[in-house]
Amino acid sequence: HRAAMTVEHGLQNAGRATIDTEVYDHDFYMLDNEPTGPGMVIRFAFEPKAVSPLGPSEKIEGKDLIFISAIKPGNYMESFLTGYSDKAADYDITVENQNTKVGVQQTSDTPISKINLWSIRTTICPEAYVHLDIPPGKTGHWKIRYRFFANSK
């Protein structure tokens, strides 16, 4: 089964100064009520590099960040990632529960300006920022598309 939704954003600058900022959609993924741990993978369109050392529960293999053990209650992992280009095609992040074969793919029509990955035992949050530069009297537009999937086992 596959389903999708698109969130269209618009920000009108009604002021006198340019809006120069970064924003992200704060997405919390919990797939099939399973804790963040073995079987959970985050796939990127680029080879991510962690700015801060990852915790003992995670490792990067090529374009994937995999969870090799469960994040313990009360603990979290967080790191900004690099490795993406200035092309919108790099804004392509998939979070999948390989145990149950369900997931979500998140894409945008706007390039990533920075990305922070944050996770606790109950959720995975890839926080991909986009840069906005909106002159006075103009409106900035960007879209984020979510494709949900359930593959047969």
Side-chain angles (χ1 to χ4, degrees), residues 124-137:
I124 297 172
C125 304
E127 301 167 341
Y129 290 72
V130 298
H131 180 248
L132 301 177
D133 186 3
I134 308 168

Side-chain angles (χ1 to χ4, degrees), residues 30-93:
M30 181 180 214
L31 305 174
D32 279 350
N33 245 0
E34 290 196 7
T36 304
M40 299 294 184
V41 63
I42 307 168
R43 290 190 181 88
F44 297 92
F46 56 91
E47 290 190 16
K49 309 272 187 285
V51 173
S52 302
L54 298 177
S57 301
E58 314 83 33
K59 70 177 180 176
I60 294 173
E61 290 185 351
K63 295 181 179 182
D64 296 346
L65 186 143
I66 62 171
F67 291 87
I68 53 178
S69 63
I71 294 179
K72 295 185 186 324
N75 288 351
Y76 70 96
M77 69 82 58
E78 182 174 22
S79 181
F80 280 92
L81 302 175
T82 61
Y84 50 86
S85 73
D86 61 356
K87 297 185 177 20
D90 274 356
Y91 194 133
D92 187 341
I93 303 162

Side-chain angles (χ1 to χ4, degrees), residues 77-145:
M77 69 82 58
E78 182 174 22
S79 181
F80 280 92
L81 302 175
T82 61
Y84 50 86
S85 73
D86 61 356
K87 297 185 177 20
D90 274 356
Y91 194 133
D92 187 341
I93 303 162
T94 300
V95 178
E96 183 178 357
N97 180 338
Q98 294 180 315
N99 299 322
T100 62
K101 308 293 187 208
V102 300
V104 60
Q105 178 186 27
Q106 180 179 332
T107 58
S108 181
D109 62 348
T110 305
I112 295 171
S113 61
K114 68 181 177 183
I115 184 167
N116 185 47
L117 180 61
W118 178 86
S119 185
I120 59 174
R121 182 173 178 80
T122 56
T123 190
I124 297 172
C125 304
E127 301 167 341
Y129 290 72
V130 298
H131 180 248
L132 301 177
D133 186 3
I134 308 168
K138 300 294 181 182
T139 301
H141 299 276
W142 69 103
K143 296 177 187 176
I144 298 177
R145 183 172 189 265

